[in-house]
């Protein structure tokens, strides 16, 4: 019986980290899901910040004046005088006294049925629109009202603006915390995969040490491998998040899905750095884990 033919391919050295690995699909999926969630968090934070800035901008450009009638003057007449007085103040673009029905519509959600208010001296409201370039200050409006002998309260919405800015800050803080948690989760997954890969090739690592290979050289193999996997997973997660953001934009029209989260088309560009960030996190996690474990093996 003749000996089998010589096959050079059988004698070629196998790579330290072979490309096909049964754990790669699971690792890709987990990192892709984490990147998808991170991108959605970023889109939500951007949309929430835009909504907060829009609401604050609207409140900053307007002032509400509550006018109470004095003596025998009717509430409507007092509101009309207040609007006339405020319209002449420099920095005021428009001053309009709200009709009784408009005023009642504003307070109805708070007190319910307003049918019994006709016999009461319910204050009237004056909506003041300020000049965007040189807005009038609340003290100037108070002086103008006092000169006309009007009993009025000027509300510059500062409390509401502070609440909106505070809520926006909380949303940003939560988004940062969620992003850091997701990054930590991705790093933990990569560290676990690196640990398992090193444990499966412990004998090879020992041989490489004997032949003079440095720890950094061995660790770089894991670093490049998992960085490549994370970049692919990050691209997949970013694409899925961009598609979800685009669907929300199309479903809600110009305001996005809801006025509280007005997603704009330009917001979708926020997902572009995701593959790079994922690769960086994976590379750092793999390198640190590999260096620590290889040092113990030595």
């Amino acid at each position: 019986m003749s000996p089998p033919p010589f096959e050079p391919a059988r004698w070629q050295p196998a790579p330290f980290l072979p490309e096909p690995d049964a754990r790669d699909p699971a690792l890709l999926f987990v990192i892709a899901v984490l990147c998808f969630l991170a991108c959605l968090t970023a889109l939500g934070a951007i949309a929430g910040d835009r909504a907060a800035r829009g609401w604050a901008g609207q409140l900053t450009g307007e002032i509400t004046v509550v006018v109470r009638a004095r003596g025998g003057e009717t509430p409507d007449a007092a509101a009309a005088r207040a609007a006339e007085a405020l319209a002449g103040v420099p920095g005021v673009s428009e001053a309009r006294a709200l009709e009784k029905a408009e005023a009642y519509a504003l307070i109805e959600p708070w007190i319910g049925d307003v049918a019994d208010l006709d016999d009461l001296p319910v204050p009237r409201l004056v909506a003041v629109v300020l000049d965007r370039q040189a807005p009038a200050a609340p003290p100037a409006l108070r002086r103008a009202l006092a000169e006309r002998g009007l009993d009025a309260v000027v509300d510059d919405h500062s409390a509401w603006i502070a609440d909106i800015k505070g809520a926006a800050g909380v949303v940003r803080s939560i988004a940062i915390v969620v992003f850091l948690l997701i990054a930590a989760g991705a790093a933990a997954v990569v560290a676990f995969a690196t640990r398992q890969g090193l444990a499966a090739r412990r004998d090879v690592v020992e041989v490489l040490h004997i032949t003079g290979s440095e720890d950094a050289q061995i660790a770089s193999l894991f670093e490049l491998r998992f960085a490549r996997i994370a970049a692919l997973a990050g691209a997949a997660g970013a694409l899925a998040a961009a598609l979800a953001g685009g669907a929300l934009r199309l479903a809600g029209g110009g305001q996005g899905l809801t006025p509280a989260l007005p997603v704009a088309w330009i917001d979708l560009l926020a997902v572009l750095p995701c593959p790079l960030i994922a690769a960086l996190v994976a590379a750092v996690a793999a390198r640190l884990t590999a260096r620590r474990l290889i040092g113990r093996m030595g």
Side-chain angles (χ1 to χ4, degrees):
M1 183 176 180
S2 59
F6 177 73
E7 299 179 5
R10 296 179 57 188
W11 296 91
Q12 292 179 353
F16 178 57
L17 291 175
E19 288 301 324
D21 194 317
R23 292 182 293 267
D24 285 357
L27 184 61
L28 275 166
F29 176 76
V30 171
I31 296 179
V33 170
L34 292 175
C35 291
F36 172 75
L37 295 177
C39 290
L40 284 186
T41 301
L43 292 177
I46 292 172
D49 186 70
R50 176 182 295 106
R53 284 187 285 106
W55 295 336
Q58 291 177 0
L59 292 176
T60 301
E62 297 181 1
I63 285 180
T64 301
V65 178
V66 182
V67 183
R68 293 181 290 266
R70 283 180 173 177
E73 191 176 28
T74 64
D76 291 330
R81 284 204 305 123
E84 181 182 358
L86 295 173
V89 177
V92 173
S93 298
E94 179 185 2
R96 181 176 66 89
L98 301 184
E99 299 292 338
K100 181 176 69 173
E102 294 180 275
Y104 283 6
L106 292 175
I107 62 177
E108 185 175 7
W110 303 96
I111 66 174
D113 187 13
V114 295
D116 298 332
L117 297 180
D118 290 336
D119 296 333
L120 299 176
V122 179
R124 294 291 187 265
L125 301 179
V126 177
V128 180
V129 180
L130 302 178
D131 185 355
R132 293 287 182 178
Q133 302 298 326
L141 302 181
R142 295 189 183 98
R143 285 195 299 270
L145 294 169
E147 291 173 356
R148 295 291 186 95
L150 291 163
D151 182 9
V153 176
V154 177
D155 181 7
D156 60 354
H157 307 150
S158 57
W160 294 99
I161 294 173
D163 289 342
I164 291 174
K165 291 182 177 180
V170 171
V171 170
R172 285 193 295 270
S173 299
I174 292 175
I176 292 173
V177 171
V178 170
F179 177 81
L180 293 177
L181 289 175
I182 291 174
V189 170
V190 172
F192 177 78
T194 304
R195 184 184 301 272
Q196 296 302 311
L198 274 171
R201 297 168 179 83
R202 182 184 183 92
D203 53 345
V204 181
V205 173
E206 293 176 350
V207 172
L208 291 174
H209 270 150
I210 294 174
T211 58
S213 296
E214 297 181 356
D215 293 350
Q217 294 174 329
I218 303 173
S220 64
L221 299 175
F222 288 90
E223 179 182 354
L224 294 175
R225 178 182 181 84
F226 289 116
R228 183 168 61 251
I229 292 175
L232 292 175
L239 178 60
L243 292 176
L248 294 177
R249 179 66 171 77
L250 291 174
Q255 289 293 328
L257 185 62
T258 168
L261 291 175
V263 180
W265 289 114
I266 195 172
D267 296 346
L268 304 183
L269 297 178
V271 306
L272 292 180
C274 183
L276 179 61
I277 296 175
L280 180 61
V281 171
V284 172
R287 186 172 187 84
L288 294 178
T289 304
R291 289 291 295 270
R292 185 175 66 254
L293 295 178
I294 293 171
R296 293 177 183 175
M297 291 179 184

